[in-house]
Amino acid sequence: MAAALAGAVLLATGCTGGEGAPEEGSVAAPDPALTDFTEQGLDWGECESGADGAECAVYEVPLDYDEPGGDRVEIAVKRFPAEGGDRIGSLLVNPGGPGGSGYDYVDHAAFTVSDAVRQRFDVVGFDPRGVGRSSPLTCLDSEGLDEFLGGVDSVEGDGDMSEVTEAELAELEEDSRGFVEACRANDPELMLHMGTVNVARDMDILRALVGDEQLTYLGASYGTHIGAQYAEEFPDRVRALVLDGAVDPSQEQLDLSVAQATGFETALRAFVEDCLGQSDCPLGASGDSVEDGVGALSDFLADTAEEPLSNSADDREVNRARAELGVLAALYSESWWPRVREGLAEAMENGDGTVLIQLGDDLYSREDPAAYENSTAALIAVNCSDSPSPRDVDAYVRAAAEAGEESPIFGPTLAWGALPCAYWPEEAVTPTTGLDGAGAAPIMVVGTTRDSATPYAWAEALAGQLESGFLVTRDGDGHTAYRMGDQCIDDIVDAYLVDLTVPEDGMACA
């Protein structure tokens, strides 16, 4: 599932002040084979779309870094110049995914980055290779994705995927193979070079092109993996990395999917507890237990497996899989909770699943067919490329049962969402290794205690793996921490990015 599948300093030479900041394109490439790329220049110009004041450009990177003289990939980049006169350099940003558009993310810089940071940094976002405007990878078309994300047609009983029938298993295998074969048919070379190691190398070329001796970076969710991978590849080029809502890159994809179930279960219970205190909660009333509320939701979803909900938006049935996606939206941000309560009320009281299916569509950017087709393709391609996955389907059967114990509602679906990786080309897969970034300046890892998509334990793990990592904790709900309404967190991150102030390891904000 895209939502879950889904989903990281002091050495400041040449990047510590406005007059001392280097000019764009002045940083030489340590690797002579990449000189053509690091000296190509960025021709900043007017953007085709987005917020006023932005500047856009395109640069090229090798498709295969082992053959830099071969085919190239175009990377789209957007920036908002620093608003103050005492410029430090560029802050590169990534919103996660995999498949999230850093190019579009920059349009929301006024909300995602503080005034203090925007005064001192150009805020720069790029679409990673294969994403959005950067030589995008596509696999299934929109109709095919609707079928792929709509769950198995042969589902029996209450739709509990922790134990599947032979017919359901056969359909899951067929759909997953079909997805991978569609990728191979559309772009057999790009699908082999989508891993995060390549993205980190692409980002280092961008660092050179914007003229920074060292990288200042803010990555959320999967963006934390990009940052940690960068520290692994280029530890001496790290100025400051904020890794917010951390992924644990030491785990293999199927293990991540199972572990993620715990995060969604924690977030689900927080949502249900809040719902029961609201007058319009369709899951129960004040005084009911969280167990009662979760039970009501479970019963409702079981009913949708046997009798799908109506949908006034289009001709898709709102079956259990699509209803689950709508509820899953609630678990990413408290700001979505009222909308999900509304969708559940309409569904449970009137049999109308329109709001729920629209919430699920929002998670997958379905309003834009191109983004819908690409973001899911990029998500699966990166996840399947970044670590080995079992090739035996029985491993996924066991994982679905295990995830169902941790999160009975969402866990099995999360595990089955990793099944395409069983068929991903083995030559595209990078073996899983711990990333320690040995030699890098201090790296900030930020974790939220009741984060849904990236469990808090992952932030603890990443901070522990990175040699110079230190952990900052937000006690709260929702996915990620910075600019989520906690001034304590915002102040700590800002001081680190601007002044390289490193707080005490383990600093927590209530």
Side-chain angles (χ1 to χ4, degrees), residues 1 3 149-151 155 158-162 264 268 297-298 300-302 304-305 309 317-332 340 344 347 353 356-357 359-361 363-364 407-416:
M1 299 176 67
L149 298 174
V155 65
D158 62 3
D160 178 5
M161 299 299 290
S162 62
F264 278 104
L268 172 64
L297 177 61
S298 181
F300 157 70
L301 291 172
T304 64
L309 304 165
E317 283 189 338
V318 185
N319 57 8
R320 174 166 181 155
R322 293 193 172 106
E324 277 188 19
L325 276 180
V327 177
L328 200 67
L331 309 185
Y332 276 80
V340 177
L344 284 172
L356 288 181
I357 200 168
L359 284 163
D361 287 348
L363 287 176
Y364 284 84
S407 176
I409 292 178
F410 297 114
T413 309
L414 294 173
W416 286 118

Side-chain angles (χ1 to χ4, degrees), residues 132-384:
R133 298 165 182 82
S134 296
S135 302
L137 175 70
T138 58
C139 297
L140 298 174
D141 60 18
S142 294
E143 183 178 351
L145 272 178
D146 281 342
E147 295 179 3
F148 181 74
L149 298 174
V152 296
D153 295 326
S154 58
V155 65
E156 298 178 6
D158 62 3
D160 178 5
M161 299 299 290
S162 62
E163 296 184 10
V164 296
T165 65
E166 288 187 11
E168 290 165 349
L169 181 57
E171 187 173 345
L172 286 165
E173 291 183 85
E174 181 181 359
D175 289 348
S176 294
R177 281 199 194 94
F179 187 97
V180 176
E181 288 308 311
C183 299
R184 196 189 306 273
N186 286 336
D187 207 325
E189 290 303 314
L190 181 58
M191 74 180 293
L192 299 180
H193 300 93
M194 287 285 291
T196 302
V197 172
N198 287 313
V199 177
R201 292 171 178 171
D202 298 344
M203 189 164 67
D204 189 58
I205 289 177
L206 178 57
R207 172 206 57 77
L209 294 179
V210 299
D212 287 350
E213 291 284 354
Q214 293 178 302
L215 177 72
T216 305
Y217 174 77
L218 170 64
S221 195
Y222 161 71
T224 65
H225 189 168
I226 298 174
Q229 190 71 56
Y230 185 91
E232 185 75 8
E233 302 292 322
F234 311 105
D236 60 323
R237 301 176 204 173
V238 169
R239 176 185 177 272
L241 309 183
V242 176
L243 310 184
D244 184 9
V247 173
D248 180 358
S250 70
Q251 294 193 43
E252 296 186 358
Q253 183 55 42
L254 185 56
D255 294 331
L256 283 171
S257 299
V258 173
Q260 199 169 39
T262 63
F264 278 104
E265 185 67 16
T266 299
L268 172 64
R269 290 178 174 274
F271 164 71
V272 171
E273 182 177 13
D274 178 82
C275 181
L276 293 174
Q278 308 292 331
S279 60
D280 61 347
C281 180
L283 301 177
S286 179
D288 290 346
S289 69
V290 172
E291 291 292 340
D292 291 337
V294 172
L297 177 61
S298 181
D299 291 343
F300 157 70
L301 291 172
D303 289 342
T304 64
E306 298 185 8
E307 185 175 350
L309 304 165
S310 64
N311 169 25
S312 61
D314 52 49
D315 60 359
R316 288 174 296 164
E317 283 189 338
V318 185
N319 57 8
R320 174 166 181 155
R322 293 193 172 106
E324 277 188 19
L325 276 180
V327 177
L328 200 67
L331 309 185
Y332 276 80
S333 172
E334 290 178 79
S335 64
W336 286 37
W337 289 3
R339 179 72 167 155
V340 177
R341 286 200 309 272
E342 175 192 349
L344 284 172
E346 286 292 319
M348 297 174 76
E349 296 167 11
N350 305 317
D352 185 352
T354 304
V355 172
L356 288 181
I357 200 168
Q358 289 173 341
L359 284 163
D361 287 348
D362 288 345
L363 287 176
Y364 284 84
S365 304
R366 190 179 181 273
E367 70 280 358
D368 179 348
Y372 180 49
E373 294 168 8
N374 170 240
S375 62
T376 306
L379 170 88
I380 292 177
V382 173
N383 282 341
C384 295

